[in-house]
Amino acid sequence: MTHRIVHWEIMGPDGDALKNFYTDLFGWKTDGVEGFDSYHMTDADGSGVAGAIGKGGGEMSSYVTLYVEVDSVDEHLSKAEAAGGTVLVPRTVIPGTVSFGLLADPAGNMVGVVEREMLPAD
């Protein structure tokens, strides 16, 4: 797959409660992320795609989404708009971590795009 799924998020108003729910339900192991309130990364254990469970904010307090790797966030957000989608979050850079954007497809589903250059090597 040219543009593979590389990350997912399950977010809600109480990130710690969600973390507890999913760790109890599935036995997932999580680690908090320094500087991010109630954001807990999961480990894929070599058998899947790692993700995060945490606290959402503002209008996007509760959501589930996946992130797809791309060469250019801006290019893919533009392509999404041209195809009938909507940009929800423009290209955003968390220095040393990730460059990402969020879009809604024509049905309103939220999908993230992340730039390949910021992803760890396989």
Side-chain angles (χ1 to χ4, degrees):
M1 182 182 325
T2 304
H3 298 286
R4 63 191 176 117
I5 296 168
V6 294
H7 184 71
W8 52 264
E9 288 180 328
I10 301 172
M11 307 297 282
D14 187 338
D16 292 327
L18 278 177
K19 179 206 56 126
N20 292 338
F21 174 82
Y22 284 102
T23 57
D24 290 347
L25 182 63
F26 297 124
W28 292 347
K29 304 214 179 341
T30 63
D31 289 310
V33 178
E34 189 174 327
F36 291 86
D37 183 31
S38 292
Y39 193 82
H40 311 276
M41 296 291 292
T42 67
D43 184 356
D45 292 328
S47 62
V49 176
I53 305 163
K55 181 178 179 180
E59 293 178 22
M60 296 184 351
S61 65
S62 294
Y63 65 88
V64 174
T65 196
L66 53 89
Y67 290 81
V68 178
E69 77 174 357
V70 298
D71 289 325
S72 168
V73 167
D74 289 328
E75 177 185 333
H76 280 81
L77 292 177
S78 292
K79 286 173 71 172
E81 282 186 311
T86 304
V87 173
L88 300 173
V89 175
R91 183 176 188 273
T92 301
V93 178
I94 299 174
T97 304
V98 69
S99 296
F100 75 98
L102 292 169
L103 62 98
D105 67 18
N109 298 303
M110 186 167 62
V111 176
V113 289
V114 295
E115 287 184 354
R116 185 173 287 122
E117 70 182 40
M118 298 292 286
L119 297 173
D122 290 333

